[in-house]
Amino acid sequence: MTSAKRTHSAAYNRIVERARNQALIPKDLSIPLLDIQGAPGEAHPAFSETEIAQPWEQMGHRGRTMFICQLCRSHVEFLLVVGVRTGTETMPLRWKHLQWHYIGPQKYLKIWVSGKTGPRYLIAKHAVIETLNRLIVFQGLPFEDLTQLMDAGYNRTTFVMEDGTQPDSLNGTFERLLGDCNLLKDVAGRNRSFYSLRHTYATFALAEGVDIHILARQMGASTLMIERHYSKLTPMMAAPKLA
C-alpha cells in the first residue's frame, strides 16, 4: 500500500470514528474500516559508489541541450548529498533558503525546504558547496562564490538555466543521461529514477552510522518509513562491525 493510500484510509477511518462520537452514525451500525497498514513497500533501486562517480554531464551535447545536461548534473549531485524529494522540494528552492549554521568555528550549510511533510531545515553534506559554486558560474551570477551570494541575500530560484528559466522537467534528461552511462537499470533490472538518488542518500547515510531518527528528520520522513525500507539493509552494511 502506498503512503497516499494509507493517508486516505486513515482519514476515512477518522471520519467514521468522529461520526460515531457525534451520534451521526448509530453505534450498532457496522461500517467497514480500511486497512492502514498494508504490505511493506519495496525500496527504490539505489546507486553504488562506483556508479555515482560516472560522468553525469555528457559534453557531446550542444546548444540548450548541453546546458540542460549541466543543470541536471547539478540537480543530481544536490540530491545525492542532501536527500530531499526531487521536484516538490528542489525545484521551488531559492538561493535565499541557504544559510550557514555555525557550531564553534565549524560552519555547515543549512537549507530550508518545504514539501510533503511541511517545512523543515536540513544539513547538507560539504560536497554540495562545490556543486552550488559551479551552478553560480553556470548561471552567470555576479558573485564570486556561495558565501558572497548568501551574504547578498540573493533571491532567485536555484535550479534554473542561465537565462533564469526553469525546464518543465528534468526527468527526460536524467533518463537519457542514465542511458548514456548504462545506468538506467540496476542489477535486478529495475528502472532507476530521480527518486533512486534519495534512496541512495539514505542507504549511504545508514552505512555511515547516521541515527535512524536523525535521518528521518533530515529527510522529512517517519522512522517507520525508514525502518520499513532500510532496516533489512543495515546488517549487510555493518558487516565489518558485526563479523
Side-chain angles (χ1 to χ4, degrees), residues 125 201-219 226 234 237 241:
K125 289 183 176 294
Y201 172 86
T203 302
F204 286 1
L206 289 171
E208 293 167 1
V210 175
D211 179 78
I212 193 171
H213 298 280
I214 294 175
L215 182 61
R217 292 290 298 273
Q218 169 86 353
M219 297 181 66
I226 299 293
T234 51
M237 292 186 296
K241 298 179 181 179

Side-chain angles (χ1 to χ4, degrees), residues 71-176:
L71 179 63
C72 186
R73 173 193 175 186
S74 298
H75 193 230
V76 166
E77 292 176 351
F78 186 86
L79 291 169
L80 280 170
V81 296
V82 179
V84 293
R85 294 177 177 86
T86 182
T88 57
E89 293 184 347
T90 54
M91 302 317 281
L93 187 71
R94 305 183 75 85
W95 288 106
K96 70 173 184 178
H97 295 151
L98 280 59
Q99 303 173 24
W100 291 122
H101 174 68
Y102 289 89
I103 299 180
Q106 182 65 50
K107 66 179 181 180
Y108 305 87
L109 186 61
K110 180 173 68 173
I111 303 177
W112 182 91
V113 297
S114 182
K116 180 179 178 180
T117 57
R120 72 184 187 280
Y121 278 106
L122 53 85
I123 297 295
K125 289 183 176 294
H126 296 305
V128 79
I129 296 174
E130 179 182 348
T131 296
L132 294 173
N133 279 330
R134 190 176 62 249
L135 193 56
I136 290 171
V137 174
F138 164 69
Q139 294 176 357
L141 302 182
F143 305 103
E144 293 183 0
D145 55 24
L146 182 61
T147 296
Q148 190 179 88
L149 178 147
M150 291 164 61
D151 289 343
Y154 192 63
N155 183 21
R156 190 173 86 164
T157 305
T158 305
F159 291 103
V160 295
M161 301 290 285
E162 74 281 5
D163 60 1
T165 61
Q166 191 173 72
D168 293 334
S169 173
L170 291 173
N171 291 330
T173 302
F174 183 56
E175 184 174 328
R176 287 191 294 274

Side-chain angles (χ1 to χ4, degrees), residues 3-23:
S3 60
K5 288 182 178 179
R6 283 193 294 270
T7 300
H8 294 158
S9 297
Y12 168 81
N13 292 348
R14 287 196 299 270
I15 291 173
V16 173
E17 181 181 1
R18 177 175 295 183
R20 287 192 189 280
N21 293 337
Q22 296 179 358

